[in-house]
């Protein structure tokens, strides 16, 4: 256990500036182009639903399971009071989770804890797998978890560093795009049961306020994450 812990907290050397910049451009391209976004958006959904699940547990709501669908949507099933702080915080956590996870991952990257970051992602995926209640969700988590495990076990340290950086930037950039998609759907009245609209029904604030808040946190996370990973500071 001592050897494993020493390996987990081992500090890697700082990446070259071109590696950080190239990883950011790669992640931005993945999020920007429609085809690559459709193929990878499910990873943001995993973080989104994971955020709902973690907050439900923290607020002592009964977590009944998570479903991930092939259209990249998802749902987290909880039971408890239909209103109150626990329900509000659970609904609030979804759209914030990818950006905040990306920010936490950026901090670990800044500290050189690449191995700890990769194994934290693996642990998160395993916990999600235990809560999944549909076959497609289990399959996508197994594939994603298998890829992360393969990188952690067989990839050289330099490759692990690049993969970690791309994932961090992808969470930061990918946390923003669904918020703009939500705004467009709400404008067309196609998202009456969105998290923002549920929050509007639970509180005295309109749904547009929550969309603005999601966007503010997302953009702030990108700025803070970029500052943390800036190789020139």
């Amino acid at each position: 256990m001592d050897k494993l812990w020493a390996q987990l907290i081992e500090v890697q050397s700082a990446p070259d500036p071109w590696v950080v910049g190239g990883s950011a451009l790669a992640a931005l391209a993945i999020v920007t182009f429609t085809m690559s976004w459709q193929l990878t958006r499910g990873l943001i959904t995993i973080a989104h639903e994971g955020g709902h699940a973690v907050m439900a547990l923290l607020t002592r709501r009964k977590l009944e399971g998570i479903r991930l669908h092939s259209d990249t949507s998802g749902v987290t099933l909880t039971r408890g009071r239909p209103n109150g702080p626990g329900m509000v915080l659970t609904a609030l956590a979804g759209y914030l989770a990818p950006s905040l996870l990306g920010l936490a991952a950026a901090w670990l990257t800044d500290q050189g804890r690449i191995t700890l970051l990769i194994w934290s992602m693996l642990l998160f995926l395993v916990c999600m797998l235990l809560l999944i209640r549909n076959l497609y969700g289990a399959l996508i988590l197994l594939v994603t978890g298998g890829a992360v495990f393969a990188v952690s076990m067989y990839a050289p340290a330099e490759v692990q560093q690049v993969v970690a950086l791309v994932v961090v930037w992808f969470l930061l950039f990918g946390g923003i795009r669904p918020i703009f998609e939500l705004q467009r759907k709400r404008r067309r009245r196609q998202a009456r049961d969105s998290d923002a609209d549920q929050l509007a029904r639970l509180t005295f604030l309109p749904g547009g306020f929550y969309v603005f808040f999601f966007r503010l946190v997302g953009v702030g996370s990108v700025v803070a994450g970029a500052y943390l990973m800036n190789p020139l500071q």
Side-chain angles (χ1 to χ4, degrees):
M1 290 299 296
D2 291 341
K3 184 178 179 181
L4 176 61
W5 178 246
Q7 183 179 359
L8 285 176
I9 64 173
E10 181 182 2
V11 177
Q12 264 188 275
S13 58
D16 293 329
W18 70 268
V19 175
V20 178
S23 301
L25 289 175
L28 184 61
I30 292 171
V31 172
T32 301
F33 292 108
T34 301
M35 182 175 295
S36 57
W37 175 242
Q38 289 301 319
L39 290 173
T40 57
R41 193 186 190 282
L43 301 178
I44 298 297
T45 303
I46 291 173
H48 179 112
E49 300 305 331
H52 284 314
V54 169
M55 188 56 68
L57 292 173
L58 290 176
T59 56
R60 298 191 175 185
R61 293 183 62 80
K62 183 174 178 57
L63 183 59
E64 298 191 332
I66 300 170
R67 293 178 178 271
L68 302 172
H69 304 134
S70 57
D71 62 355
T72 73
S73 66
V75 61
T76 299
L77 307 172
T78 67
R79 190 168 61 189
R81 285 184 58 190
N83 49 35
M87 186 62 197
V88 171
L89 290 173
T90 299
L92 194 64
Y95 277 100
L96 301 182
S99 295
L100 295 180
L101 284 173
L103 184 57
W107 180 79
L108 285 175
T109 302
D110 176 58
Q111 300 297 309
R113 314 285 186 180
I114 302 298
T115 303
L116 182 59
L117 171 58
I118 292 175
W119 279 88
S120 296
M121 289 190 294
L122 188 60
L123 178 62
F124 178 81
L125 293 169
V126 170
C127 291
M128 286 280 291
L129 183 61
L130 297 176
L131 298 170
I132 282 294
R133 296 295 181 266
N134 67 322
L135 182 60
Y136 178 83
L139 179 62
I140 195 68
L141 283 171
L142 285 171
V143 171
T144 305
V148 174
F149 180 77
V151 169
S152 67
M153 294 298 294
Y154 304 114
E158 295 78 8
V159 175
Q160 291 185 22
Q161 188 176 66
V162 172
V163 171
L165 285 168
V166 172
V167 169
V168 172
W169 286 114
F170 175 76
L171 286 170
L172 292 170
F173 293 138
I176 296 177
R177 179 161 177 172
I179 301 169
F180 285 94
E181 293 174 348
L182 170 63
Q183 186 177 21
R184 287 196 299 270
K185 288 181 179 179
R186 292 189 73 252
R187 192 178 295 126
R188 299 169 186 166
R189 300 185 182 278
Q190 297 175 341
R192 297 180 184 274
D193 292 323
S194 69
D195 292 353
D197 292 280
Q198 290 183 47
L199 286 163
R201 291 191 288 268
L202 290 167
T203 65
F204 60 89
L205 295 170
F209 168 82
Y210 290 104
V211 175
F212 172 78
F213 179 68
F214 294 154
R215 190 188 309 148
L216 184 66
V217 173
V219 173
S221 296
V222 171
V223 173
Y227 173 78
L228 286 171
M229 293 188 294
N230 179 10
L232 303 178
Q233 63 177 329

